[in-house]
Amino acid sequence: MARILLAEDDAGQAFVLQSYLEHEGHDVRVAGDGLLALAEYRRSPPDLIVLDVMMPGLDGVDLCRLIRSESPVPIIMVTAKTDESDVLAGLDVGADDYVAKPYSPRLLVARIRAALRRSGLDSHLRRYEIGELVVDAERFEAALGGTPVDLTPREFGILAALATGPGRAFTRREILDLAVGFDHYALERTVDMHLFNLRRKIEHDATQPRYVLTVRGRGYKLADE
Amino acid sequence: MARILLAEDDAGQAFVLQSYLEHEGHDVRVAGDGLLALAEYRRSPPDLIVLDVMMPGLDGVDLCRLIRSESPVPIIMVTAKTDESDVLAGLDVGADDYVAKPYSPRLLVARIRAALRRSGLDSHLRRYEIGELVVDAERFEAALGGTPVDLTPREFGILAALATGPGRAFTRREILDLAVGFDHYALERTVDMHLFNLRRKIEHDATQPRYVLTVRGRGYKLADE
DNA sequence: AACCACGATCAAGGCCTGATCAAGAGCCGA
DNA sequence: TCGGCTCTTGATCAGGCCTTGATCGTGGTT
C-alpha cells in the first residue's frame, strides 16, 4: 500500500509498530538512528516517515528539517517529551503531525492512515476508462459499455492494478503485489487463472483480447486505448 | 445549527462570544489554547472554527495550517495586531476570513453566519436522500418514506458516514474512522453487526438490500440512486 | 520439422468472507 | 445504585472465491 520509513531507536517499539503497519499492508523499513534514516530515505524515498525526536546521532528535529527541505513527504513526529516547545519545534520544521509518547500503536497507526489519506496516496482510488471499459476503484466497480460487470474481489483488484498503468507491462509478481499485498505468497500461475476468468467476463472474444493483453515472457498489460 | 470550535485564551471574550453564538442556536465548544483546540478538533470535527492568532502553546497560524491540511472546514482568524502582515499570514495558511481586535461580538457573529452560508452548511450537505430513505445529519435523524426510523447513535453514525459518499465503497476501517473516530479501536467485525441491525430496521428484505450494499472483498456502500 | 517454453484451460479442494446468533461489557438515565 | 439499552466480541455456518496441480495448445527457437 505505502512505503513507510520508521526512524526509531527503541527496537522493541519499532518492532511492534512495524508489525501493525505491515499487517495493514504497508511496506515498512526501520532505521535505528537519524543517520541511517537519512541514508535509507535517500536510497529509496518512502511515502511517509515516522520520526522519533530523540535519537542518537542526528535527532528527529534536524532530520525533519533536512528532509523537509528536499521533499513534501508526510512526516509524523513522535516524542517522549510532553513539553509543548517540543511540539512547536517539530511543527516548526515542517512535521505534518505529532504524537506524544507513550502512545498506543493503534493511535499512531490511525494517524498514519489519516496522513496518507490526506496526501492522497491511499487513493489509487480513481477512475480509468479504456474504450468501453470503465474501472472505478472508488466504487469498487467495473462496467463495460455502461453495463456493470460482476467481478470477484481478486479479479477487480488485478484489473485495477493493471489500470494504474495502461499500456505498461506488469510481471505476475508485480500484479500480485499490487492487487493482493506484498506479504501474500501465491503462485504466479494464480494470476493467469484470475485473468482467464476476467477475460471471460469482459472480453468479447477471449482468443482475441481487446483489453487484457498477454505480454509473452513478461506478464500482462491493459490496452491503453 | 452548527458546531463551532472557539480557540481563544481570553476566557472573558470567549464567554461573551459563546453566549452570542449559543443564543443563535449553535453548539459552541471553547478551547483555551492551541493544543487543546487541536485535540478538541480531532475529537469531534466542528463545522467552523474561530481562531485567536495569539495563543499560548500552539499559535493560531500554525494551528490553522495544520487543520487546513486535513480539512476544508471554514476558519475565521481573530487577531489583536492590526498589522497587515498578520492578515496576510492568516490568509496565507488558509483562513477563510479575518477579524481584527477589538471587534464587536455582533460583527464576528455576522462573519460567522456569512462563512457558514458560504460553506453551504445551511442545510444541504448534511442531508441526503436516496429513494425512500432520508438521512439528515443535522437533525440526527433518519426516515423511511416519511416515517422516522429509530436508530441507535452508532447505527446513525455509520449510516451518515456512508452517506458522505453514496456509491463509494468504504472499508470497515474507513467506516469506523468516520463514524466513531480515529482513535477508537473496535474490531472491524463490529461494523458488520451494526449494519446487520441497521438493515433489519431499514431494509424491506434484508437478503436483498436496497440501501446498504455489501461490497465483497472491500466493505460496504450506500446505494446512490 | 521438432523441440521447448510459456500461456490457456479445466476441475476440485480448502479457505476466506460475510451473515447471523448469542452473550458479556459498558454506559446512561431513572 | 439499579435497570435497560447499546456496543462489542466470539463463535458458527454456508456459500463463493482462491488457489493449485495437471494437461493441452501455441508460438518461438534451433
Short mmCIF file of all heavy atoms in Angstrom, two decimals, chain C residues 10-22:
data_model
loop_
_atom_site.label_atom_id
_atom_site.label_comp_id
_atom_site.label_asym_id
_atom_site.label_seq_id
_atom_site.Cartn_x
_atom_site.Cartn_y
_atom_site.Cartn_z
P DC C 10 -12.11 -24.49 -20.71
OP1 DC C 10 -12.99 -24.98 -21.79
OP2 DC C 10 -12.44 -23.22 -20.02
"O5'" DC C 10 -11.96 -25.63 -19.62
"C5'" DC C 10 -11.25 -26.81 -19.96
"C4'" DC C 10 -11.11 -27.73 -18.75
"O4'" DC C 10 -9.92 -27.38 -18.01
"C3'" DC C 10 -12.28 -27.68 -17.77
"O3'" DC C 10 -12.81 -28.98 -17.61
"C2'" DC C 10 -11.67 -27.12 -16.48
"C1'" DC C 10 -10.19 -27.46 -16.63
N1 DC C 10 -9.28 -26.50 -15.95
C2 DC C 10 -8.31 -26.97 -15.06
O2 DC C 10 -8.23 -28.19 -14.84
N3 DC C 10 -7.49 -26.08 -14.46
C4 DC C 10 -7.61 -24.78 -14.71
N4 DC C 10 -6.77 -23.94 -14.10
C5 DC C 10 -8.60 -24.27 -15.62
C6 DC C 10 -9.41 -25.16 -16.20
P DA C 11 -14.19 -29.20 -16.82
OP1 DA C 11 -14.89 -30.29 -17.55
OP2 DA C 11 -14.86 -27.90 -16.57
"O5'" DA C 11 -13.66 -29.78 -15.45
"C5'" DA C 11 -12.60 -30.74 -15.47
"C4'" DA C 11 -12.17 -31.06 -14.06
"O4'" DA C 11 -11.24 -30.04 -13.59
"C3'" DA C 11 -13.31 -31.09 -13.04
"O3'" DA C 11 -13.10 -32.18 -12.15
"C2'" DA C 11 -13.21 -29.74 -12.33
"C1'" DA C 11 -11.70 -29.49 -12.37
N9 DA C 11 -11.33 -28.09 -12.37
C8 DA C 11 -11.96 -27.04 -13.00
N7 DA C 11 -11.37 -25.88 -12.83
C5 DA C 11 -10.27 -26.17 -12.04
C6 DA C 11 -9.25 -25.38 -11.51
N6 DA C 11 -9.16 -24.06 -11.72
N1 DA C 11 -8.30 -25.98 -10.75
C2 DA C 11 -8.39 -27.30 -10.54
N3 DA C 11 -9.31 -28.16 -10.99
C4 DA C 11 -10.23 -27.53 -11.74
P DA C 12 -14.14 -32.48 -10.97
OP1 DA C 12 -14.35 -33.94 -10.97
OP2 DA C 12 -15.29 -31.55 -11.08
"O5'" DA C 12 -13.31 -32.10 -9.67
"C5'" DA C 12 -11.95 -32.54 -9.56
"C4'" DA C 12 -11.36 -32.03 -8.27
"O4'" DA C 12 -10.97 -30.63 -8.42
"C3'" DA C 12 -12.33 -32.06 -7.09
"O3'" DA C 12 -11.63 -32.43 -5.92
"C2'" DA C 12 -12.82 -30.63 -7.00
"C1'" DA C 12 -11.58 -29.86 -7.41
N9 DA C 12 -11.81 -28.53 -7.95
C8 DA C 12 -12.86 -28.11 -8.70
N7 DA C 12 -12.80 -26.84 -9.05
C5 DA C 12 -11.61 -26.41 -8.48
C6 DA C 12 -10.96 -25.16 -8.48
N6 DA C 12 -11.44 -24.08 -9.10
N1 DA C 12 -9.79 -25.07 -7.81
C2 DA C 12 -9.31 -26.16 -7.20
N3 DA C 12 -9.83 -27.39 -7.13
C4 DA C 12 -10.99 -27.44 -7.80
P DG C 13 -12.40 -33.03 -4.68
OP1 DG C 13 -12.24 -34.49 -4.70
OP2 DG C 13 -13.75 -32.42 -4.63
"O5'" DG C 13 -11.56 -32.45 -3.48
"C5'" DG C 13 -10.14 -32.37 -3.58
"C4'" DG C 13 -9.68 -31.14 -2.80
"O4'" DG C 13 -9.99 -29.95 -3.57
"C3'" DG C 13 -10.37 -30.99 -1.44
"O3'" DG C 13 -9.39 -31.08 -0.42
"C2'" DG C 13 -11.05 -29.62 -1.49
"C1'" DG C 13 -10.41 -28.93 -2.68
N9 DG C 13 -11.31 -28.06 -3.44
C8 DG C 13 -12.52 -28.38 -3.99
N7 DG C 13 -13.08 -27.40 -4.64
C5 DG C 13 -12.17 -26.36 -4.51
C6 DG C 13 -12.22 -25.03 -5.02
O6 DG C 13 -13.10 -24.50 -5.69
N1 DG C 13 -11.09 -24.30 -4.66
C2 DG C 13 -10.04 -24.79 -3.91
N2 DG C 13 -9.05 -23.95 -3.67
N3 DG C 13 -9.97 -26.03 -3.45
C4 DG C 13 -11.07 -26.75 -3.78
P DG C 14 -9.78 -30.81 1.09
OP1 DG C 14 -8.92 -31.67 1.92
OP2 DG C 14 -11.25 -30.84 1.24
"O5'" DG C 14 -9.30 -29.31 1.28
"C5'" DG C 14 -8.00 -28.92 0.82
"C4'" DG C 14 -7.80 -27.43 1.09
"O4'" DG C 14 -8.67 -26.66 0.23
"C3'" DG C 14 -8.13 -27.01 2.52
"O3'" DG C 14 -7.15 -26.08 2.94
"C2'" DG C 14 -9.52 -26.40 2.40
"C1'" DG C 14 -9.52 -25.82 1.00
N9 DG C 14 -10.82 -25.79 0.33
C8 DG C 14 -11.77 -26.79 0.33
N7 DG C 14 -12.83 -26.48 -0.38
C5 DG C 14 -12.55 -25.21 -0.86
C6 DG C 14 -13.34 -24.36 -1.69
O6 DG C 14 -14.45 -24.57 -2.17
N1 DG C 14 -12.70 -23.16 -1.94
C2 DG C 14 -11.45 -22.82 -1.45
N2 DG C 14 -11.00 -21.63 -1.80
N3 DG C 14 -10.72 -23.60 -0.69
C4 DG C 14 -11.32 -24.77 -0.43
P DC C 15 -7.27 -25.39 4.37
OP1 DC C 15 -5.91 -25.29 4.94
OP2 DC C 15 -8.37 -26.03 5.13
"O5'" DC C 15 -7.73 -23.93 3.96
"C5'" DC C 15 -7.11 -23.29 2.86
"C4'" DC C 15 -7.74 -21.93 2.65
"O4'" DC C 15 -9.01 -22.10 2.00
"C3'" DC C 15 -8.02 -21.20 3.97
"O3'" DC C 15 -7.51 -19.88 3.85
"C2'" DC C 15 -9.54 -21.23 4.11
"C1'" DC C 15 -10.01 -21.38 2.67
N1 DC C 15 -11.28 -22.14 2.50
C2 DC C 15 -12.29 -21.62 1.69
O2 DC C 15 -12.12 -20.53 1.13
N3 DC C 15 -13.43 -22.34 1.51
C4 DC C 15 -13.57 -23.52 2.11
N4 DC C 15 -14.70 -24.19 1.90
C5 DC C 15 -12.55 -24.07 2.95
C6 DC C 15 -11.43 -23.36 3.12
P DC C 16 -7.52 -18.91 5.08
OP1 DC C 16 -6.18 -18.31 5.19
OP2 DC C 16 -8.13 -19.58 6.25
"O5'" DC C 16 -8.53 -17.80 4.56
"C5'" DC C 16 -8.50 -17.43 3.18
"C4'" DC C 16 -9.71 -16.59 2.87
"O4'" DC C 16 -10.87 -17.44 2.68
"C3'" DC C 16 -10.08 -15.60 3.97
"O3'" DC C 16 -10.27 -14.33 3.36
"C2'" DC C 16 -11.34 -16.17 4.59
"C1'" DC C 16 -11.95 -16.96 3.44
N1 DC C 16 -12.76 -18.14 3.85
C2 DC C 16 -14.01 -18.36 3.25
O2 DC C 16 -14.44 -17.56 2.42
N3 DC C 16 -14.72 -19.46 3.62
C4 DC C 16 -14.22 -20.31 4.52
N4 DC C 16 -14.96 -21.39 4.83
C5 DC C 16 -12.96 -20.10 5.13
C6 DC C 16 -12.26 -19.01 4.77
P DT C 17 -10.59 -13.06 4.29
OP1 DT C 17 -9.81 -11.94 3.77
OP2 DT C 17 -10.49 -13.44 5.72
"O5'" DT C 17 -12.12 -12.81 3.95
"C5'" DT C 17 -12.57 -12.86 2.61
"C4'" DT C 17 -14.07 -12.72 2.57
"O4'" DT C 17 -14.68 -13.98 2.91
"C3'" DT C 17 -14.60 -11.69 3.56
"O3'" DT C 17 -15.44 -10.79 2.86
"C2'" DT C 17 -15.35 -12.49 4.61
"C1'" DT C 17 -15.69 -13.79 3.88
N1 DT C 17 -15.69 -15.01 4.75
C2 DT C 17 -16.70 -15.92 4.60
O2 DT C 17 -17.60 -15.79 3.79
N3 DT C 17 -16.61 -17.02 5.43
C4 DT C 17 -15.63 -17.27 6.36
O4 DT C 17 -15.65 -18.28 7.05
C5 DT C 17 -14.60 -16.26 6.47
C7 DT C 17 -13.50 -16.43 7.46
C6 DT C 17 -14.68 -15.18 5.67
P DG C 18 -15.98 -9.49 3.54
OP1 DG C 18 -15.94 -8.44 2.52
OP2 DG C 18 -15.28 -9.31 4.83
"O5'" DG C 18 -17.51 -9.82 3.84
"C5'" DG C 18 -18.32 -10.26 2.77
"C4'" DG C 18 -19.59 -10.87 3.31
"O4'" DG C 18 -19.28 -12.08 4.04
"C3'" DG C 18 -20.38 -9.99 4.29
"O3'" DG C 18 -21.75 -10.09 3.95
"C2'" DG C 18 -20.05 -10.59 5.65
"C1'" DG C 18 -19.91 -12.06 5.31
N9 DG C 18 -19.08 -12.84 6.22
C8 DG C 18 -17.88 -12.48 6.77
N7 DG C 18 -17.36 -13.42 7.54
C5 DG C 18 -18.29 -14.45 7.48
C6 DG C 18 -18.28 -15.73 8.10
O6 DG C 18 -17.43 -16.21 8.85
N1 DG C 18 -19.42 -16.47 7.78
C2 DG C 18 -20.42 -16.04 6.96
N2 DG C 18 -21.43 -16.89 6.77
N3 DG C 18 -20.44 -14.85 6.36
C4 DG C 18 -19.35 -14.11 6.67
P DA C 19 -22.87 -9.32 4.81
OP1 DA C 19 -23.81 -8.71 3.86
OP2 DA C 19 -22.22 -8.49 5.85
"O5'" DA C 19 -23.61 -10.54 5.51
"C5'" DA C 19 -24.17 -11.56 4.68
"C4'" DA C 19 -24.97 -12.55 5.52
"O4'" DA C 19 -24.05 -13.34 6.31
"C3'" DA C 19 -25.95 -11.91 6.50
"O3'" DA C 19 -27.15 -12.69 6.50
"C2'" DA C 19 -25.22 -11.97 7.83
"C1'" DA C 19 -24.36 -13.22 7.68
N9 DA C 19 -23.08 -13.16 8.39
C8 DA C 19 -22.18 -12.11 8.39
N7 DA C 19 -21.10 -12.35 9.09
C5 DA C 19 -21.29 -13.63 9.58
C6 DA C 19 -20.50 -14.46 10.41
N6 DA C 19 -19.30 -14.11 10.88
N1 DA C 19 -20.98 -15.68 10.72
C2 DA C 19 -22.18 -16.04 10.23
N3 DA C 19 -23.01 -15.34 9.45
C4 DA C 19 -22.50 -14.14 9.16
P DT C 20 -28.44 -12.17 7.32
OP1 DT C 20 -29.62 -12.77 6.65
OP2 DT C 20 -28.37 -10.73 7.53
"O5'" DT C 20 -28.26 -12.91 8.70
"C5'" DT C 20 -28.17 -14.34 8.73
"C4'" DT C 20 -27.78 -14.81 10.11
"O4'" DT C 20 -26.39 -14.51 10.36
"C3'" DT C 20 -28.56 -14.15 11.26
"O3'" DT C 20 -29.43 -15.12 11.82
"C2'" DT C 20 -27.48 -13.70 12.24
"C1'" DT C 20 -26.25 -14.45 11.76
N1 DT C 20 -24.94 -13.82 12.04
C2 DT C 20 -24.01 -14.54 12.75
O2 DT C 20 -24.21 -15.67 13.15
N3 DT C 20 -22.82 -13.88 12.98
C4 DT C 20 -22.48 -12.59 12.58
O4 DT C 20 -21.40 -12.13 12.85
C5 DT C 20 -23.52 -11.90 11.86
C7 DT C 20 -23.26 -10.51 11.39
C6 DT C 20 -24.68 -12.53 11.63
P DC C 21 -30.46 -14.70 12.96
OP1 DC C 21 -31.70 -15.45 12.69
OP2 DC C 21 -30.51 -13.23 13.09
"O5'" DC C 21 -29.78 -15.32 14.25
"C5'" DC C 21 -29.23 -16.63 14.18
"C4'" DC C 21 -28.49 -16.97 15.46
"O4'" DC C 21 -27.16 -16.38 15.43
"C3'" DC C 21 -29.15 -16.47 16.75
"O3'" DC C 21 -29.19 -17.53 17.68
"C2'" DC C 21 -28.25 -15.33 17.21
"C1'" DC C 21 -26.90 -15.77 16.67
N1 DC C 21 -25.96 -14.65 16.41
C2 DC C 21 -24.65 -14.70 16.92
O2 DC C 21 -24.30 -15.69 17.57
N3 DC C 21 -23.81 -13.67 16.67
C4 DC C 21 -24.23 -12.62 15.96
N4 DC C 21 -23.37 -11.64 15.74
C5 DC C 21 -25.56 -12.55 15.44
C6 DC C 21 -26.39 -13.57 15.70
P DA C 22 -30.00 -17.35 19.07
OP1 DA C 22 -30.60 -18.66 19.36
OP2 DA C 22 -30.84 -16.13 19.01
"O5'" DA C 22 -28.81 -17.09 20.10
"C5'" DA C 22 -27.68 -17.95 20.08
"C4'" DA C 22 -26.68 -17.50 21.13
"O4'" DA C 22 -25.87 -16.43 20.59
"C3'" DA C 22 -27.30 -16.97 22.42
"O3'" DA C 22 -26.58 -17.47 23.53
"C2'" DA C 22 -27.16 -15.46 22.29
"C1'" DA C 22 -25.86 -15.35 21.50
N9 DA C 22 -25.72 -14.12 20.72
C8 DA C 22 -26.68 -13.48 19.98
N7 DA C 22 -26.26 -12.40 19.38
C5 DA C 22 -24.92 -12.32 19.73
C6 DA C 22 -23.91 -11.41 19.42
N6 DA C 22 -24.09 -10.35 18.63
N1 DA C 22 -22.68 -11.63 19.94
C2 DA C 22 -22.49 -12.71 20.73
N3 DA C 22 -23.36 -13.64 21.10
C4 DA C 22 -24.57 -13.39 20.56
#
